[in-house]
Amino acid sequence: MWSSLTIIGILLVTANQGKGGSAPAYSTDLETELRTALFTGYEVLQRPSERVSVTVSMNLITVNSLDIKAQTLSTSGFFQLWWPDSRLQWNSNSSYENIRLLFTSEKYAWTPKVVIENSVNDLEVFSDANTLIRLNSVGAGKWTPGGVFETSCEADITYYPLDTQTCSIVLTTWSYTSNEITLSFDDDPFILDNFSENGEWELLETSNTTESAERSRSESYTYDKLYFTLKLRRRPLYHILNTIFPVILMSCLIVFVFKLPPESGERVGMSLTVLLAYAVYLTLITDNIPQTSLSASILSTYLTIILMLSNLSVIFTIVVLDIYFNHDDDEAPPDWLQKFTKYFLVNITCWKGEACCKQGKVRPSNGSEPHISLDDLNKVNDDKRMIKSPGRKVALTDDDEENAKPEERPYSWKEVALILDRFFMYLFVLLVFTVTAVSLSILAVGGQQ
């Protein structure tokens, strides 16, 4: 009896398997059969449904450039679009369950007609015959058209080159209104897995917004728009090294003009060379810097001030050389110049350790110091007045100059020229440093806003 029941059970199972059968393995003939079944009578221009929901994300590969003058942003990447198409599903037919994916082109399957609205090159519908559409068994299509996208971007260059720019890539439907195709973002609107950093621009953040708006007043229909927004910050090192640093370096040449010895004969030539170099450089950089930027006005003002200082350096150099070479060695400067040099220039420049840089030693009197009679003191004062007289030419011996105290020794014309030369150098160091520090501070504060 048990043997009979076993035989009957085996027969029932075998019959059951024969009735349902197992799905055939994948083969090219099987896929051809499925394609014939799906695309026979398929209308490419017909939407899958009355209202198709298209989900979009952007795979950003790189930011190529952001042209401030042309107001254009160049990016490389591709969009990923998903939409349902029930006409292309085959999961209900078990004969094709071993076929998981089909690939087709936009020539044979419906695709959503979308464009980049703010494109600067053309306003064409996405069309990429080389990018295939992936179809799964539930009838969901995935399409990834890509390329280099040139889009408009209203750049704010107020704080150039420490500026931050916000640009958007606007994706919208073409011909299809919001009642026919709805565009929405995927859960991850921006895919940055393959993103490569740009040498000039740093990607700070990404954001996305959606909008439905009319295209003209005559139309009552709305169209969906997707905004893929990039926030970019300029890397300032390149512009600092190529714009700001050379300007500061050239301004230092003004100071070093006064370090050349008057005998070298190159001072006026160097001053004029620096002046000419500044004029040429000012012309060159104004072509590369947006004129409406804050940095352009700051840099222009800075260069203008430096040019003025360069002109003054030429004038002061001529004055110093005239004083140094156009007077005899035994000719004493006038009394007013002696006083101006003694009480002002020497104190400011600390000439040869005198005045502010050297403190006189005070010795306590022990009563053993020799006393000078009144007649001798009057004689010394008369000699000092004769030496300081501007109308007399008196040559001091080496012993007289060595024994004379700094506050009593008269200065020669060459010494006055050298002291004045050092004063001009210190003055220009102060002016250049102050102007540079103030300009950089304003530029830095502006860049942080």
Side-chain angles (χ1 to χ4, degrees):
M1 181 178 180
W2 286 107
S3 299
S4 302
L5 292 174
T6 301
I7 293 173
I8 294 173
I10 292 174
L11 291 175
L12 290 174
V13 171
T14 303
N16 219 0
Q17 289 180 348
K19 182 180 180 180
S22 60
Y26 173 83
S27 65
T28 55
D29 293 337
L30 185 65
E31 182 174 335
T32 301
E33 180 183 335
L34 176 59
R35 287 180 179 274
T36 302
L38 292 178
F39 291 104
T40 299
Y42 185 90
E43 179 54 52
V44 177
L45 298 179
Q46 182 179 344
R47 300 192 311 278
S49 59
E50 182 180 2
R51 189 174 187 178
V52 184
S53 178
V54 180
T55 305
V56 186
S57 66
M58 182 179 184
N59 194 316
L60 184 64
I61 296 178
T62 183
V63 175
N64 300 321
S65 63
L66 176 55
D67 193 333
I68 297 298
K69 289 187 177 180
Q71 300 281 288
T72 58
L73 171 68
S74 174
T75 55
S76 297
F78 56 91
F79 292 97
Q80 296 183 357
L81 296 86
W82 293 266
W83 67 92
D85 192 341
S86 58
R87 298 172 296 176
L88 298 177
Q89 68 178 26
W90 66 89
N91 61 336
S92 59
N93 192 336
S94 60
S95 300
Y96 306 111
E97 65 181 13
N98 286 329
I99 300 179
R100 297 182 179 179
L101 293 173
L102 286 181
F103 294 89
T104 186
S105 66
E106 56 182 324
K107 181 179 179 181
Y108 301 101
W110 179 88
T111 55
K113 307 305 178 183
V114 294
V115 296
I116 296 180
E117 189 178 64
N118 60 338
S119 175
V120 296
N121 292 332
D122 50 45
L123 198 63
E124 295 181 354
V125 176
F126 273 163
S127 179
D128 191 352
N130 297 322
T131 303
L132 298 178
I133 304 171
R134 295 169 59 96
L135 300 173
N136 58 21
S137 61
V138 297
K142 179 182 179 182
W143 190 37
T144 56
V148 177
F149 308 115
E150 299 281 345
T151 55
S152 61
C153 176
E154 296 182 3
D156 181 10
I157 40 80
T158 303
Y159 302 111
Y160 174 95
L162 303 177
D163 52 332
T164 300
Q165 305 297 338
T166 302
C167 303
S168 297
I169 302 173
V170 185
L171 200 69
T172 185
T173 57
W174 190 259
S175 299
Y176 294 114
T177 66
S178 300
N179 295 326
E180 297 156 351
I181 290 182
T182 60
L183 297 179
S184 60
F185 289 103
D186 189 27
D187 295 337
D188 189 7
F190 274 97
I191 302 175
L192 303 176
D193 297 339
N194 302 316
F195 180 74
S196 299
E197 291 287 345
N198 181 273
E200 184 179 1
W201 294 95
E202 177 187 2
L203 180 61
L204 294 181
E205 63 181 38
T206 59
S207 59
N208 56 279
T209 55
T210 182
E211 178 188 20
S212 293
E214 299 176 355
R215 288 181 181 167
S216 64
R217 296 180 179 179
S218 60
E219 292 186 359
S220 59
Y221 302 106
T222 60
Y223 300 84
D224 285 357
K225 296 181 181 181
L226 300 180
Y227 292 82
F228 295 87
T229 305
L230 308 175
K231 188 175 183 180
L232 305 171
R233 180 172 60 192
R234 190 189 303 272
R235 302 180 190 271
L237 182 59
Y238 171 82
H239 296 276
I240 290 175
L241 293 179
N242 289 274
T243 303
I244 299 177
F245 181 73
V247 172
I248 298 175
L249 188 62
M250 292 175 67
S251 64
C252 296
L253 295 178
I254 302 176
V255 177
F256 287 103
V257 167
F258 296 99
K259 289 296 292 182
L260 287 176
E263 294 86 355
S264 64
E266 299 293 335
R267 301 190 65 173
V268 176
M270 182 177 178
S271 300
L272 294 176
T273 301
V274 173
L275 181 61
L276 179 61
Y278 255 103
V280 173
Y281 193 75
L282 178 61
T283 304
L284 292 176
I285 64 173
T286 50
D287 295 336
N288 298 324
I289 298 179
Q291 296 305 302
T292 57
S293 63
L294 176 64
S295 62
S297 60
I298 293 176
L299 199 57
S300 298
T301 304
Y302 176 78
L303 287 175
T304 302
I305 296 176
I306 297 300
L307 281 173
M308 294 173 59
L309 294 179
S310 298
N311 287 322
L312 289 177
S313 70
V314 176
I315 297 174
F316 292 160
T317 298
I318 294 174
V319 171
V320 170
L321 294 179
D322 179 73
I323 295 175
Y324 189 87
F325 288 106
N326 291 344
H327 295 85
D328 296 332
D329 294 338
D330 56 351
E331 181 182 355
D335 187 58
W336 68 267
L337 185 56
Q338 291 280 357
K339 291 182 180 180
F340 179 74
T341 304
K342 172 183 175 181
Y343 296 110
F344 181 73
L345 295 180
V346 171
N347 286 285
I348 293 295
T349 60
C350 299
W351 177 252
K352 292 186 177 180
E354 297 179 8
C356 62
C357 294
K358 182 177 181 181
Q359 299 293 335
K361 296 182 179 180
V362 179
R363 297 180 180 179
S365 178
N366 53 9
S368 61
E369 296 292 336
H371 295 280
I372 302 177
S373 64
L374 183 59
D375 295 336
D376 294 336
L377 182 60
N378 292 333
K379 184 178 179 181
V380 171
N381 292 333
D382 292 339
D383 292 339
K384 289 168 60 178
R385 283 193 293 270
M386 291 177 63
I387 292 174
K388 295 182 179 180
S389 176
R392 297 176 61 91
K393 298 182 179 180
V394 180
L396 297 178
T397 63
D398 294 339
D399 293 337
D400 293 335
E401 291 185 354
E402 182 177 356
N403 296 329
K405 295 182 180 180
E407 62 272 10
E408 297 176 352
R409 180 176 57 84
Y411 296 99
S412 65
W413 280 105
K414 287 189 176 181
E415 286 181 315
V416 171
L418 295 176
I419 295 173
L420 190 62
D421 198 32
R422 179 175 293 186
F423 168 74
F424 288 149
M425 185 185 69
Y426 289 168
L427 177 63
F428 273 74
V429 168
L430 177 63
L431 292 176
V432 170
F433 176 79
T434 302
V435 173
T436 303
V438 171
S439 300
L440 292 179
S441 299
I442 296 175
L443 193 62
V445 171
Q448 295 175 357
Q449 294 181 0

